[in-house]
């Protein structure tokens, strides 16, 4: 396939840098470095763009932190904000160039694919085959050979300035090995690195049904002998061509279930991986017990994320047992009109005599108790039902009956319709 050039002009466009900024900022608006950069956004972006254009931009020194994930300790590499913006700008330009060259059964970190698509592929083909080979590369990113990666990039990209920037990122860690976990480019680099392995599997091994998510691979076959032969050739390719080793490689019957992408896939159904279900339960119990001190939106995000993940498999009993829907309903943000008290607005309008209102249908808008000549009096704001103009009127009454009637009505129920009546000397509403 023809190597691609003329990418530099796309990279250094102002619009590309503004897009890169929006992608970098997304979900991180409260971070101090984001706020500081945004104070002089146009000036800071232009300065960064000119630094790239001049060729003076180099990958900064990494900061490290250790994260415990699924009982594994991972070393995460963190770059300053300007580096992340530049890498976003670079990915905007080169991602589609490489993605077009990937096979359709590569699902990791590619727009329009992802975990659900990979799981659907396994569900579809587990019913057709009796045997399966599952492999995993040992410490894939830390053991990635930088020269092999850069050679694969050079097979696709011809633009020398783009290659210079990519080379600077690829070799940003000394030692010849390592693709830093945490780098924005690392996920794309992982797919580029294993693309020739995908081609080897499809074109040389002739495996009809195979899928990969990052470095986790699943091969389907009709016989175990066929898959044992594939297993040997795969191990040899990984060791000789990629300079890596497998941490897991096993041939087994598909009826045992395939543990892949957080699910356990069986021929007739799919369930959550036990470890995923345990994390799910812990998170839900922490929220329900009140021990989760995060914001309401963060807790809702966690629950909806797990629920969305769980709804793609058989988890009806789990969702019901954890009372997920009830918890979401309790946490859901309510509108003010559903919970807030109605405001006590000033009661104004044209004053009329109560004697002119007998037998007339009133729409009472509001009322309040006031004191007139040291006597408790009800000040009532209303409009006449048959008044097409809807004029706002006010009437005063010291009737204890009317005051008690109005007091017994919850203010949230106003406006109400009533007829003013008189029995003997007493005024009342009906």
């Amino acid at each position: 396939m023809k190597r691609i050039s003329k990418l530099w002009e796309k990279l250094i466009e102002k619009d590309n840098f503004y897009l890169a900024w929006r992608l970098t900022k997304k979900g991180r608006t409260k971070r101090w470095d984001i706020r500081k950069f945004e104070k002089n956004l146009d000036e800071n972006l232009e300065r960064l763009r000119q630094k790239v254009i001049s060729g003076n931009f180099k990958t900064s020194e990494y900061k490290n932190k250790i994260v415990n994930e699924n009982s594994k300790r991972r070393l995460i590499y963190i770059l300053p904000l300007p580096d992340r913006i530049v890498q976003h700008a670079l990915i905007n330009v080169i991602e589609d160039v490489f993605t077009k060259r990937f096979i359709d059964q590569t699902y990791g970190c590619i727009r329009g694919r992802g975990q659900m698509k990979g799981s659907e592929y396994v569900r579809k083909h587990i019913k057709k085959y009796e045997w399966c080979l599952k492999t995993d590369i040992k410490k894939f990113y830390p053991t990635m050979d930088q020269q092999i990666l850069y050679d694969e990039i050079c097979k696709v990209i011809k633009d020398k300035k783009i290659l210079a920037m990519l080379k600077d990122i690829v070799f940003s860690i000394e030692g010849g090995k390592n693709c830093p976990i945490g780098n924005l480019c690392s996920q794309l680099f992982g797919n580029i690195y294993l693309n020739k392995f995908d081609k080897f599997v499809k074109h040389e091994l002739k495996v009809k049904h195979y899928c990969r998510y990052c470095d986790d691979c699943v091969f389907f076959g009709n016989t175990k002998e066929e898959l044992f032969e594939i297993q040997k050739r795969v191990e040899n390719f990984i060791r000789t061509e990629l300079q890596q080793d497998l941490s897991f490689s096993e041939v087994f019957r598909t009826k045992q279930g395939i543990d892949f992408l957080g699910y356990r896939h069986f021929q007739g159904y799919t369930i959550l991986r036990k470890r995923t279900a345990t994390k799910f339960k812990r998170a839900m119990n922490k929220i329900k017990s009140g021990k989760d001190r995060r914001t309401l939106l963060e807790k809702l995000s966690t629950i909806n994320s797990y629920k969305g993940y769980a709804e793609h498999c058989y988890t009806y009993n789990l969702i019901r047992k954890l009372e997920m829907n009830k918890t979401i309903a309790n946490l859901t943000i309510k509108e003010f009109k559903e919970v807030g008290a109605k405001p006590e607005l000033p009661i104004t309008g044209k004053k009329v005599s109560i004697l002119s209102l007998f037998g007339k249908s009133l729409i009472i808008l509001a009322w309040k108790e006031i004191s007139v000549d040291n006597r408790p009096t009800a000040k009532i704001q209303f409009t006449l039902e048959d008044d097409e103009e809807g004029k706002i009127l006010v009437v005063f009454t010291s009737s204890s009956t009317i005051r008690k009637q109005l007091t017994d009505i919850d203010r949230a129920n106003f406006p109400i319709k009533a007829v003013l009546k008189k029995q003997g000397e007493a005024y009342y509403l009906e």
Side-chain angles (χ1 to χ4, degrees):
M1 211 178 249
K2 187 177 177 182
R3 294 171 70 202
I4 305 299
S5 58
K6 297 182 180 179
L7 295 173
W8 182 253
E9 290 76 15
K10 295 180 181 179
L11 171 68
I12 61 175
E13 286 179 358
K14 286 187 178 182
D15 288 345
N16 185 41
F17 270 77
Y18 275 99
L19 173 59
W21 162 251
R22 291 194 295 273
L23 294 171
T24 306
K25 176 187 172 183
K26 189 176 181 180
R28 301 178 178 89
T29 54
K30 294 182 180 180
R31 289 174 56 117
W32 69 269
D33 53 349
I34 295 286
R35 290 181 177 181
K36 184 179 178 181
F37 193 91
E38 198 168 25
K39 283 183 180 179
N40 298 299
L41 179 60
D42 295 339
E43 182 182 332
N44 289 332
L45 270 184
E46 183 59 23
R47 187 186 300 116
L48 183 60
R49 191 175 78 92
Q50 290 301 327
K51 194 173 181 180
V52 171
I53 292 172
S54 66
N56 293 324
F57 183 86
K58 301 296 179 186
T59 302
S60 303
E61 187 177 344
Y62 293 95
K63 289 183 179 179
N64 301 330
K65 75 172 181 179
I66 295 176
V67 174
N68 292 312
E69 184 181 276
N70 299 330
S71 302
K72 296 179 181 178
R73 289 168 63 85
R74 298 188 187 275
L75 182 61
I76 307 297
Y77 295 83
I78 304 168
L79 283 172
L81 179 61
D83 291 72
R84 300 200 298 272
I85 296 172
V86 170
Q87 287 197 18
H88 265 295
L90 194 55
I91 292 295
N92 291 343
V93 172
I94 68 170
E95 185 175 29
D96 289 342
V97 172
F98 285 101
T99 301
K100 291 175 183 177
R101 289 164 167 75
F102 298 153
I103 66 170
D104 293 338
Q105 291 77 37
T106 299
Y107 294 100
C109 310
I110 298 175
R111 281 178 295 176
R113 301 188 195 182
Q115 286 180 291
M116 291 304 118
K117 294 287 185 181
S119 177
E120 288 171 9
Y121 184 89
V122 172
R123 294 180 206 202
K124 179 180 178 181
H125 293 96
I126 195 173
K127 301 173 184 177
K128 302 177 182 178
Y129 290 92
E130 187 178 351
W131 293 91
C132 167
L133 164 64
K134 188 168 179 288
T135 65
D136 182 19
I137 297 176
K138 184 178 181 180
K139 295 184 178 179
F140 174 59
Y141 286 103
T143 62
M144 194 182 295
D145 189 285
Q146 295 167 350
Q147 189 59 53
I148 293 175
L149 171 61
Y150 184 66
D151 290 343
E152 290 300 308
I153 292 171
C154 291
K155 290 177 183 178
V156 178
I157 303 292
K158 188 177 180 181
D159 192 306
K160 291 183 179 179
K161 291 183 178 180
I162 294 289
L163 281 176
M165 290 193 67
L166 289 169
K167 185 175 183 179
D168 179 58
I169 297 171
V170 169
F171 293 96
S172 59
I173 300 286
E174 294 181 355
K177 295 266 188 180
N178 204 345
C179 182
I181 299 175
N183 240 2
L184 178 67
C185 294
S186 293
Q187 294 174 335
L188 176 60
F189 286 170
N191 282 329
I192 294 170
Y193 195 78
L194 289 178
N195 187 44
K196 70 174 183 177
F197 173 69
D198 294 335
K199 300 290 177 66
F200 167 75
V201 171
K202 299 298 286 185
H203 301 319
E204 293 192 36
L205 297 184
K206 306 291 184 182
V207 179
K208 187 174 181 181
H209 292 120
Y210 150 85
C211 68
R212 177 177 65 79
Y213 189 94
C214 294
D215 60 310
D216 292 337
C217 305
V218 174
F219 306 74
F220 290 99
N222 291 311
T223 66
K224 61 180 178 180
E225 290 76 19
E226 171 193 354
L227 290 177
F228 279 134
E229 179 60 30
I230 291 172
Q231 185 183 40
K232 289 178 184 177
R233 297 185 66 182
V234 163
E235 289 176 356
N236 182 63
F237 185 93
I238 296 290
R239 186 171 56 255
T240 58
E241 297 295 325
L242 300 181
Q243 301 295 308
Q244 293 179 304
D245 296 303
L246 293 175
S247 62
F248 180 87
S249 178
E250 185 178 348
V251 175
F252 54 92
R253 290 183 183 274
T254 53
K255 68 179 182 180
Q256 293 177 223
I258 301 173
D259 191 335
F260 190 58
L261 300 176
Y263 298 110
R264 293 176 63 199
H265 303 82
F266 294 89
Q267 292 180 342
Y269 60 97
T270 303
I271 61 176
L272 276 181
R273 178 188 287 164
K274 188 174 181 180
R275 187 171 63 209
T276 307
T278 301
K279 286 173 65 178
F280 190 0
K281 291 175 185 177
R282 285 175 182 167
M284 284 298 302
N285 290 334
K286 189 176 180 181
I287 291 171
K288 288 165 65 177
S289 66
K291 294 179 181 179
D292 193 328
R293 301 300 181 188
R294 295 178 302 161
T295 64
L296 175 66
L297 286 176
E298 287 173 329
K299 288 187 278 191
L300 273 175
S301 177
T302 296
I303 297 174
N304 285 318
S305 175
Y306 275 117
K307 186 184 177 188
Y309 198 73
E311 285 179 340
H312 287 275
C313 63
Y314 184 78
T315 51
Y316 173 78
N317 289 333
L318 177 65
I319 291 174
R320 186 179 63 176
K321 182 179 179 181
L322 294 177
E323 299 180 322
M324 282 193 66
N325 294 327
K326 181 180 177 181
T327 305
I328 291 173
N330 291 338
L331 288 174
T332 300
I333 301 172
K334 298 177 174 61
E335 292 189 24
F336 181 81
K337 64 184 180 181
E338 297 175 348
V339 296
K342 289 190 176 182
E344 286 194 27
L345 299 173
I347 294 181
T348 59
K350 182 180 178 182
K351 183 180 176 181
V352 295
S353 170
I354 195 170
L355 300 176
S356 65
L357 301 175
F358 292 126
K360 293 185 177 179
S361 181
L362 316 177
I363 297 177
I364 300 176
L365 304 174
W367 81 282
K368 70 176 181 179
E369 193 166 353
I370 61 174
S371 178
V372 177
D373 297 331
N374 295 322
R375 289 190 304 169
T377 303
K379 182 181 182 182
I380 303 171
Q381 183 187 59
F382 68 96
T383 184
L384 295 173
E385 185 180 18
D386 59 359
D387 183 0
E388 294 181 358
E389 295 182 8
K391 293 178 182 176
I392 304 299
L393 306 174
V394 172
V395 68
F396 293 84
T397 177
S398 58
S399 167
S400 59
T401 303
I402 291 179
R403 281 191 291 107
K404 186 176 186 310
Q405 283 182 296
L406 293 174
T407 302
D408 290 341
I409 300 172
D410 191 323
R411 291 184 184 274
N413 291 323
F414 285 90
I416 58 173
K417 187 188 293 186
V419 177
L420 181 64
K421 293 196 174 183
K422 182 179 180 183
Q423 184 174 343
E425 298 297 320
Y427 300 135
Y428 67 96
L429 296 170
E430 186 179 86

